[in-house]
Coordinates of all heavy atoms in Angstrom, one line a residue:
M1 N 0.8 -1.2 0.0 CA 0.0 0.0 0.0 C 0.9 1.3 0.0 O 1.8 1.4 0.8 CB -0.9 0.0 1.3 CG -2.3 0.1 0.9 SD -3.4 0.7 2.2 CE -3.0 -0.4 3.5
A2 N 0.6 2.2 -0.9 CA 1.4 3.4 -1.0 C 0.9 4.3 0.1 O -0.2 4.4 0.4 CB 1.1 4.1 -2.3
T3 N 1.9 4.9 0.8 CA 1.6 5.9 1.9 C 2.4 7.1 1.8 O 3.5 7.1 1.3 CB 1.7 5.2 3.3 OG1 1.9 6.2 4.2 CG2 2.9 4.2 3.3
T4 N 1.8 8.2 2.2 CA 2.6 9.5 2.1 C 3.0 10.0 3.4 O 3.8 10.9 3.5 CB 1.7 10.5 1.3 OG1 0.4 10.5 2.0 CG2 1.6 10.3 -0.1
D5 N 2.5 9.3 4.5 CA 2.9 9.8 5.8 C 4.3 9.3 6.2 O 4.6 8.1 6.1 CB 1.9 9.2 6.8 CG 2.1 9.6 8.2 OD1 3.3 10.0 8.6 OD2 1.1 9.7 9.0
P6 N 5.2 10.2 6.4 CA 6.6 9.8 6.6 C 6.8 8.9 7.8 O 7.7 8.0 7.8 CB 7.4 11.2 6.8 CG 6.3 12.2 7.0 CD 5.0 11.7 6.4
E7 N 6.0 9.2 8.8 CA 6.1 8.3 10.0 C 5.7 6.9 9.7 O 6.4 5.9 10.1 CB 5.2 8.9 11.1 CG 5.1 8.1 12.4 CD 6.4 8.1 13.2 OE1 7.3 8.8 12.8 OE2 6.4 7.3 14.2
L8 N 4.7 6.7 9.0 CA 4.2 5.4 8.6 C 5.3 4.7 7.6 O 5.5 3.5 7.7 CB 2.9 5.4 7.9 CG 1.7 5.7 8.8 CD1 0.4 5.6 8.0 CD2 1.6 4.7 10.0
E9 N 5.9 5.5 6.8 CA 6.9 5.0 5.9 C 8.1 4.5 6.6 O 8.6 3.5 6.3 CB 7.3 6.1 4.9 CG 6.6 6.0 3.6 CD 6.9 7.1 2.6 OE1 8.0 7.7 2.8 OE2 6.1 7.4 1.7
R10 N 8.5 5.2 7.7 CA 9.6 4.8 8.5 C 9.3 3.5 9.2 O 10.1 2.5 9.2 CB 9.9 5.9 9.6 CG 11.1 5.5 10.5 CD 11.2 6.4 11.7 NE 10.1 6.5 12.6 CZ 9.8 5.6 13.5 NH1 10.6 4.5 13.7 NH2 8.8 5.7 14.3
I11 N 8.1 3.3 9.7 CA 7.7 2.1 10.4 C 7.7 0.9 9.4 O 8.2 -0.1 9.7 CB 6.3 2.2 11.1 CG1 6.5 3.2 12.3 CG2 5.8 0.9 11.6 CD1 5.2 3.7 12.8
A12 N 7.1 1.2 8.2 CA 7.0 0.1 7.2 C 8.4 -0.3 6.8 O 8.7 -1.5 6.7 CB 6.3 0.6 6.0
A13 N 9.4 0.6 6.7 CA 10.7 0.3 6.4 C 11.4 -0.5 7.5 O 12.1 -1.5 7.2 CB 11.5 1.6 6.1
E14 N 11.2 -0.1 8.7 CA 11.7 -0.9 9.9 C 11.1 -2.3 9.9 O 11.8 -3.3 10.2 CB 11.4 -0.1 11.2 CG 12.2 1.1 11.3 CD 12.3 1.6 12.8 OE1 11.8 1.0 13.7 OE2 12.9 2.7 12.9
Q15 N 9.8 -2.4 9.7 CA 9.2 -3.7 9.6 C 9.8 -4.6 8.6 O 10.1 -5.8 8.7 CB 7.7 -3.6 9.5 CG 6.9 -3.2 10.7 CD 5.4 -3.2 10.5 OE1 5.0 -3.3 9.4 NE2 4.7 -3.0 11.5
A53 N -0.4 -3.2 13.7 CA 0.1 -3.1 12.3 C 1.0 -1.9 12.2 O 1.9 -1.9 11.4 CB -1.1 -3.0 11.4
E54 N 0.8 -0.9 13.0 CA 1.6 0.4 12.8 C 2.5 0.5 14.0 O 2.8 1.6 14.5 CB 0.6 1.6 12.7 CG -0.2 1.5 11.4 CD -1.3 2.5 11.3 OE1 -1.3 3.4 12.2 OE2 -2.1 2.5 10.4
L55 N 3.1 -0.6 14.4 CA 4.1 -0.5 15.4 C 5.4 -1.2 14.9 O 5.4 -2.2 14.3 CB 3.6 -1.3 16.6 CG 3.8 -0.8 18.1 CD1 3.3 0.6 18.2 CD2 3.2 -1.8 19.0

Side-chain angles (χ1 to χ4, degrees):
M1 237 202 303
T3 155
T4 44
D5 185 332
E7 178 64 9
L8 289 184
E9 265 176 20
R10 178 187 64 78
I11 292 167
E14 288 197 4
Q15 286 185 346
E54 293 172 6
L55 220 55

